[in-house]
Amino acid sequence: DKKTPCLSFERRTLALRPSTWYWQDPSRTPRTGINSGICMDNCLSEEFAVLVMVSVVESNFDGKLRVLRGIVKEVAKLTGLEERKWQDSRYWVLKRKIGWHFARLLMWWNDASTAPLYELQLALDQFAERKEARIRPKNDLIRTIVECA
């Protein structure tokens, strides 16, 4: 009894190729694309969602943040979490993968000068949660706390 992958390698590669994305077709509006895009209605995993987010960030088009927010909304629904909780728990991965600029904008930290303070607060909150649960803190948390000290 061999499990078959939900999405074949060829299809996954095709999905990540920018020329296959909905915004390449000017006849489709962003709303239509969001509703029928690569990850929006059929996001198969968080890992795939992050790969699509990386591809969105690396592409050249307007409205990247809106597309990223749509991906976050759908993957949060997939995991059964609220959008904000999903973003908070995955912030450090998103920061590494899509960069600080887009990660902070997804967190609604629009002012780049105050964003490090919000990031520090997030790190302290997550550090306290992990300490209470007796779980070793992530390196990103410790690094952020030490850098801001």
Side-chain angles (χ1 to χ4, degrees):
D1 184 56
K2 198 173 187 180
K3 288 186 178 180
T4 57
C6 296
L7 193 61
S8 69
F9 177 76
E10 294 81 20
R11 192 164 167 217
R12 209 175 301 146
T13 306
L14 179 67
L16 293 176
R17 195 173 309 139
S19 62
T20 64
W21 294 349
Y22 70 88
W23 52 80
Q24 297 293 329
D25 182 1
S27 66
R28 295 175 74 184
T29 64
R31 170 60 69 211
T32 311
I34 285 173
N35 289 337
S36 62
I38 298 301
C39 187
M40 302 312 171
D41 288 331
N42 59 352
C43 198
L44 300 175
S45 71
E46 290 182 86
E47 294 84 12
F48 185 65
V50 172
L51 281 174
V52 172
M53 292 173 94
V54 169
S55 298
V56 166
V57 168
E58 291 175 352
S59 297
N60 185 18
F61 69 95
D62 293 332
K64 291 180 186 180
L65 191 57
R66 191 166 108 187
V67 173
L68 291 173
R69 288 194 197 284
I71 294 170
V72 168
K73 181 178 181 179
E74 289 301 317
V75 78
K77 186 174 21 171
L78 173 78
T79 59
L81 294 172
E82 295 174 11
E83 290 176 48
R84 185 62 186 197
K85 288 217 178 267
W86 187 87
Q87 283 175 267
D88 286 352
S89 64
R90 308 311 189 276
Y91 172 75
W92 308 104
V93 172
L94 293 176
K95 181 180 173 184
R96 262 184 265 119
K97 299 286 185 178
I98 66 173
W100 184 73
H101 176 74
F102 283 105
R104 78 171 171 85
L105 291 175
L106 280 174
M107 297 292 287
W108 297 95
W109 302 336
N110 296 328
D111 186 1
S113 63
T114 60
L117 297 176
Y118 291 120
E119 189 177 63
L120 174 61
Q121 186 62 52
L122 179 66
L124 291 170
D125 292 345
Q126 289 181 355
F127 184 86
E129 288 171 10
R130 291 176 87 71
K131 182 180 179 198
E132 188 176 304
R134 303 183 68 103
I135 301 171
R136 185 180 160 274
K138 295 179 180 179
N139 291 339
D140 293 324
L141 302 176
I142 296 169
R143 187 177 303 116
T144 299
I145 293 168
V146 169
E147 284 175 358
C148 293

